[in-house]
Amino acid sequence: PRAGTQAHMHGLRALARHRHSLAHADRIVLRDLVFRGRHGVLAAERELGQRFEVDIVMQTDHEAAAASDHIDDTVSYVGVYDQVRSVVEGPPRALIETVAVEVAREVLSGNARVDEVTVVLRKPQVPINGILAYASVEVSRDREWL
């Protein structure tokens, strides 16, 4: 009986969190940010660098900004762009997974108004013996993860 009650309570808490996230499903989206980075497993990728494309989706609450119509009550697009750029153009990493997680950490830690962030990182120039538009990774992190 006790295990069933605990499972039921866990389910209720999960439902409450889901309803809360739906109630505040406001988002800010920065799409197709382009940077030159030196990430990759191969030495040539790290030496020559290449193009990386990034999408950022930030879950936030627009109520304060909508009420005040003031920039201080929202997330600065310029600030987020600069944070993403500092990671993607920063120290070389072997894996784009590492870069995407570092971008998520930077955006969350630098913006108290962002509750959750999703980062999509695309690498168009993949050293593969075949044709593809790009390789990409997607990571989503929330404030609890910090």
Side-chain angles (χ1 to χ4, degrees), residues 112-132:
R113 294 187 183 278
V114 176
D115 299 319
E116 181 179 329
V117 64
T118 297
V119 177
V120 178
L121 179 67
R122 289 181 299 280
K123 180 178 179 177
Q125 298 167 312
V126 181
I128 191 170
N129 188 18
I131 299 171
L132 75 155

Side-chain angles (χ1 to χ4, degrees), residues 78-88 103 106-107 109-111:
V78 174
V80 172
Y81 182 93
D82 289 342
Q83 290 166 333
V84 176
R85 180 175 57 199
S86 73
V87 173
V88 179
V103 167
E106 187 71 20
V107 171
S109 64
N111 297 281

Side-chain angles (χ1 to χ4, degrees), residues 33-146:
L33 288 71
V34 178
F35 306 101
R36 187 160 183 81
R38 297 176 177 275
H39 312 291
V41 174
L42 302 178
E45 292 178 290
R46 295 167 80 107
E47 291 171 19
L48 300 173
Q50 60 189 295
R51 175 187 176 114
F52 289 89
E53 302 165 355
V54 184
D55 298 334
I56 303 291
V57 179
M58 297 167 284
Q59 185 170 327
T60 186
D61 186 339
H62 295 324
E63 286 300 317
S68 71
D69 196 33
H70 196 274
I71 188 72
D72 291 340
D73 291 325
T74 191
V75 177
S76 166
Y77 307 160
V78 174
V80 172
Y81 182 93
D82 289 342
Q83 290 166 333
V84 176
R85 180 175 57 199
S86 73
V87 173
V88 179
E89 293 182 351
R93 302 291 185 232
L95 303 177
I96 59 175
E97 292 86 343
T98 304
V99 178
V101 169
E102 289 179 356
V103 167
R105 180 178 291 114
E106 187 71 20
V107 171
L108 282 171
S109 64
N111 297 281
R113 294 187 183 278
V114 176
D115 299 319
E116 181 179 329
V117 64
T118 297
V119 177
V120 178
L121 179 67
R122 289 181 299 280
K123 180 178 179 177
Q125 298 167 312
V126 181
I128 191 170
N129 188 18
I131 299 171
L132 75 155
Y134 57 81
S136 71
V137 297
E138 179 174 330
V139 300
S140 294
R141 299 293 187 270
D142 63 14
R143 204 148 277 295
E144 290 179 19
W145 171 76
L146 283 177

